[in-house]
Amino acid sequence: MKKLPHYIILLLICVLLVPTNSFATLSEKPLIEIPKEIPAEVQAKLDRLNEIKAMDKSELTRVEKKALRKEVRETKAFLKSSGNGLYLSVGAIIIIILLLILLL
C-alpha cells in the first residue's frame, strides 16, 4: 500500500508524456529536404545502373559479367562521391570529442 502513490504518479507521468511525442511527428515540414533537380551527369549514371539491373545477365559471358560488376562499382563510387555530404572518420570524431573535453 505504501508504494501505491508512487505507481499512480508514474502512471500519470507516462500518460501525460506519450501525447507530446506523438504530436512531434505531425509537423508539416519534412525533416530531410530532397533536392529538386538532379544533375544531368548523375541522372545518366542512375539510368545506366537501372539498365544494368534490368539486363538479363544469364546470357552474358564471364568476362562481360565481370566488366559489368566493375562498371557498377565505379558508378556507385562516383555517385557516393558526388553527394554533398560531410564524412567524418571515427578517428576524427574521437579527436573532436577530446578537444571539446579539454577546452570545456
Side-chain angles (χ1 to χ4, degrees):
M1 270 324 234
K2 291 181 181 179
K3 294 198 176 204
L4 185 63
H6 294 288
Y7 290 131
I8 292 173
I9 291 172
L10 182 64
L11 179 69
L12 287 174
I13 289 173
C14 290
V15 168
L16 293 175
L17 290 180
V18 169
T20 59
N21 289 336
S22 64
F23 288 124
T25 60
L26 297 177
S27 65
E28 296 174 11
K29 187 175 151 185
L31 297 176
I32 299 173
E33 301 264 339
I34 299 172
K36 293 178 174 65
E37 188 174 319
I38 299 174
E41 187 176 355
V42 172
Q43 186 61 43
K45 296 276 187 181
L46 288 172
D47 291 341
R48 178 64 182 145
L49 278 178
N50 289 333
E51 286 177 14
I52 292 173
K53 282 183 184 179
M55 263 187 209
D56 182 21
K57 297 175 196 84
S58 62
E59 298 176 2
L60 297 177
T61 64
R62 187 174 173 192
V63 176
E64 291 171 338
K65 287 180 185 179
K66 188 174 182 181
L68 275 179
R69 281 195 302 268
K70 185 177 180 183
E71 182 182 351
V72 167
R73 280 194 301 264
E74 290 172 356
T75 304
K76 286 185 178 182
F78 171 78
L79 291 175
K80 260 187 192 176
S81 68
S82 69
N84 295 329
L86 175 66
Y87 298 102
L88 293 175
S89 66
V90 175
I93 293 173
I94 291 173
I95 290 172
I96 290 170
I97 291 172
L98 287 175
L99 285 174
L100 287 174
I101 290 172
L102 291 174
L103 293 175
L104 300 175

